Amino acid sequence: MSEPNFGAGDVPIELGGEVHVLRPTLAACQQISKMGGGGGPNVVMARLQAMDFDTVCAVIVAGLGKTAKELPELIYKAGVISFTAPCIRFVGIVNNGGRPLDEEDEDKPEDPMESGSA
């Protein structure tokens, strides 16, 4: 498995007309894990899929690494639905040690049966 590539797991979002970056960090991972109670990230993913406003806000706060009183208003005005997919992607990246999920495929040895090399 590869080491995290700085910036490779960043997820950009547009908020209030500006591009912000959700960064996968240990602190974000810990915050997201606590959001799910005993169920951890699986609970958070289910809440995101259900477009739960508070969960979307909490994931964005964890990814930005800061709190801002105006964030909920900006998220509401942009539409919660526009943040669910980036937040789901971000939670997956965070739980993959900060690596984009598609990098896992690059680390696996090629199966000779699939490539026709055998």
Side-chain angles (χ1 to χ4, degrees), residues 55 60 87 91:
T55 303
I60 291 172
C87 285
V91 170

Side-chain angles (χ1 to χ4, degrees), residues 68-90:
K69 291 181 182 180
E70 68 275 0
L71 274 179
E73 183 72 23
L74 293 172
I75 292 166
Y76 173 75
K77 285 181 178 178
V80 174
I81 196 168
S82 64
F83 297 107
T84 54
C87 285
I88 288 169
R89 181 170 168 243
F90 178 70

